[in-house]
Amino acid sequence: MDIADAPTSAVLRIPKAGETLAADLRRRIIRGQLTAGDVLPTESALMQHYGVARPTLREAFRILESESLIEIRRGKAGARVLGPSRDVSARFMGMVLQAEGATVGEVLDARLVIEPHSAGHIARTRDDHAIQVLRAALDAEAAALSDDEAFGSASAHFHQVVVETAGNRALALMAAMIEGIIARTNTEAMSEPLDGHGPANHRRAHEAHGRLVSLVEAGAAADAELQWRQHLQVVTELHLRRIDSTRIVDLLTD
């Protein structure tokens, strides 16, 4: 059979020179050969090294800048390496969720899966450093009990620390995305009254966080996971007093 008559599922596409150059620089950044804060050589030096023209080099720079891997410093020699960022990745993941029509309820359900699992894992390992980090986050909360905004930030940080100290980087990235979406929806809904705010409610949340730390210190994994799930269910109910669970995630409104 003539190859021209054979069915094909895709059209072959040869990458442009700028894309190939961007891929090489991206690979060096991801592998740590170029680290955050490094300044790339001048355009002239890179053009000579790679044997490319200036438009090709600038196309590669535009690609990497759009991925937040480098920063083009206007009027200064050399682009600066930013490196991979969890915040940037979480923001992109959030936009994918929005494009696919994910709801706030789905995001909150995902948190109910990730955080209790992480809490149980920390209790099983009883890692000294993890416990110290949790205690420090708890102390920061205690100092913010009388301030709605400060306590909200400290509480969100505690939730993130629960996942980060469990040591699973994939879950930590997803948790950062979830926390960003929750923070955004909370900010948009601040004009709505909510019984879950105020010093008394802050103390209840802080006490729940303190109970988790105590269970982690005791190595009570099953109890820690159950207690944290129950706490999150209460938090979710309070959150949904402001936001409709069927509302589509929206990270792009002003």
Side-chain angles (χ1 to χ4, degrees), residues 168-236:
N168 187 309
R169 294 176 181 85
L171 290 182
L173 176 58
M174 287 187 277
M177 174 197 66
I178 289 168
E179 201 57 54
I181 293 172
I182 291 171
R184 178 62 182 257
T185 56
N186 268 335
T187 299
E188 291 177 3
M190 283 302 289
S191 60
E192 299 294 329
L194 179 64
D195 294 337
H197 273 212
N201 292 289
H202 294 171
R203 281 193 295 274
R204 280 195 286 271
H206 181 62
E207 288 167 1
H209 296 179
R211 284 195 295 275
L212 174 65
V213 176
S214 296
L215 290 169
V216 168
E217 290 173 330
D223 289 341
E225 185 167 344
L226 176 61
Q227 186 267 344
W228 199 242
R229 179 174 290 106
Q230 291 173 338
H231 170 62
L232 283 177
Q233 287 169 341
V234 172
V235 172
T236 297

Side-chain angles (χ1 to χ4, degrees), residues 18 21 43 47 52-65 70 72 74:
L21 175 52
E43 287 189 353
M47 287 161 54
V52 297
R54 194 178 303 276
T56 298
L57 178 63
R58 290 187 173 176
E59 180 185 3
F61 276 5
R62 282 193 295 271
I63 292 170
L64 296 174
E65 188 175 34
I70 66 170
I72 307 299
R74 313 300 175 191

Side-chain angles (χ1 to χ4, degrees), residues 5-247:
D5 298 326
T8 179
S9 58
V11 176
L12 292 177
R13 177 181 175 277
I14 300 174
K16 296 179 181 178
E19 294 172 340
T20 302
L21 175 52
D24 182 74
L25 291 171
R26 184 189 301 113
R27 189 178 304 111
R28 293 171 184 268
I29 293 171
I30 299 301
R31 290 178 176 174
Q33 296 167 330
L34 294 169
T35 59
D38 285 351
V39 177
L40 295 179
T42 63
E43 287 189 353
S44 297
L46 287 171
M47 287 161 54
Q48 182 176 2
H49 176 76
Y50 284 103
V52 297
R54 194 178 303 276
T56 298
L57 178 63
R58 290 187 173 176
E59 180 185 3
F61 276 5
R62 282 193 295 271
I63 292 170
L64 296 174
E65 188 175 34
S66 72
E67 297 171 350
S68 297
L69 291 176
I70 66 170
E71 176 186 35
I72 307 299
R73 307 186 303 168
R74 313 300 175 191
K76 295 184 179 180
R80 186 169 68 92
V81 175
L82 299 178
S85 164
R86 177 185 294 178
D87 290 340
V88 171
S89 298
R91 188 162 62 248
F92 276 118
M93 289 172 66
M95 286 191 286
V96 171
L97 284 180
Q98 180 173 344
E100 294 187 353
T103 66
V104 172
E106 289 176 305
V107 172
L108 294 171
D109 284 346
R111 183 166 70 167
L112 277 167
V113 173
I114 293 172
E115 288 194 25
H117 168 81
S118 299
H121 179 79
I122 301 167
R124 276 189 293 274
T125 59
R126 297 179 71 185
D127 179 77
D128 288 340
H129 175 69
I131 292 171
Q132 289 174 4
V133 174
L134 283 171
R135 276 287 173 196
L138 194 65
D139 290 343
E141 271 191 2
L145 284 170
S146 61
D147 185 319
D148 272 359
E149 184 175 352
F151 183 82
S153 296
S155 178
H157 176 66
F158 186 91
H159 281 262
Q160 187 65 30
V161 164
V162 168
V163 183
E164 289 179 349
T165 53
N168 187 309
R169 294 176 181 85
L171 290 182
L173 176 58
M174 287 187 277
M177 174 197 66
I178 289 168
E179 201 57 54
I181 293 172
I182 291 171
R184 178 62 182 257
T185 56
N186 268 335
T187 299
E188 291 177 3
M190 283 302 289
S191 60
E192 299 294 329
L194 179 64
D195 294 337
H197 273 212
N201 292 289
H202 294 171
R203 281 193 295 274
R204 280 195 286 271
H206 181 62
E207 288 167 1
H209 296 179
R211 284 195 295 275
L212 174 65
V213 176
S214 296
L215 290 169
V216 168
E217 290 173 330
D223 289 341
E225 185 167 344
L226 176 61
Q227 186 267 344
W228 199 242
R229 179 174 290 106
Q230 291 173 338
H231 170 62
L232 283 177
Q233 287 169 341
V234 172
V235 172
T236 297
E237 289 173 5
L238 291 172
H239 189 85
L240 292 178
R241 291 183 188 179
R242 278 182 170 170
I243 301 294
D244 181 357
S245 65
T246 63
R247 173 180 170 178

